[in-house]
Amino acid sequence: MSSRHEGFSAEERAAMKDHAQELKKAARRASQAEKAAEALRDVLAKIAEMPQGDRVLAERVHAVVTAAAPALAPKLWYGMPAYALEGRVVCFFQSAEKFKSRYATLGFSDQAQLDEGPMWPAYFALTEVTAEVEERIAELVKRAVG
């Protein structure tokens, strides 16, 4: 294993640029309601432009998260759909295609209240969203917001 730091990957640099644009765009919005509506449009547009496999997963995750935890506000976070409580991201979806991964990911930030002893899962691989998976996502999201 090499101890030489190679720097950020092209995908990581692109995600950081996306995040900088998101912050600039959010700063220009006027009212809170306008910000929320624009953030939702941004999330839906990002989901719509994903390749079909990721898009289907992201659409289902979006539907389940927003139904299970209406207090969570959709927003883009590093160019991916995320869901925040009082401005702080609680959970997020990462497409497989964006980071050239073999599966999409549903992740939870340290804001999520998922603690179970000294160690617990915070990221979940997604290859399909079945009724059982939807139920598990809903359960996790409800727990995450306390």
Side-chain angles (χ1 to χ4, degrees), residues 46-122:
K46 182 58 74 175
I47 290 171
E49 71 185 33
M50 290 179 183
Q52 182 172 347
D54 285 335
R55 185 176 61 248
V56 169
L57 294 173
E59 287 170 346
R60 293 307 313 140
V61 166
H62 176 79
V64 171
V65 170
T66 56
L72 292 178
K75 67 184 270 180
L76 289 179
W77 192 53
Y78 295 97
M80 289 285 104
Y83 305 87
L85 185 62
E86 299 173 1
R88 301 183 80 179
V89 170
V90 173
C91 62
F92 53 90
F93 176 85
Q94 286 183 334
S95 72
E97 187 268 339
K98 177 149 180 134
F99 294 100
K100 301 187 180 7
S101 175
R102 67 183 179 94
Y103 49 79
T105 306
L106 174 64
F108 291 86
S109 75
D110 64 339
Q111 299 302 308
Q113 304 298 313
L114 299 176
D115 307 34
E116 290 180 2
M119 184 175 155
W120 58 89

Side-chain angles (χ1 to χ4, degrees), residues 27-50:
R28 290 190 298 263
R29 296 181 185 139
S31 73
Q32 195 68 3
E34 183 182 314
K35 288 180 184 181
E38 184 69 22
L40 175 59
R41 283 192 295 272
D42 291 346
V43 166
L44 295 176
K46 182 58 74 175
I47 290 171
E49 71 185 33
M50 290 179 183

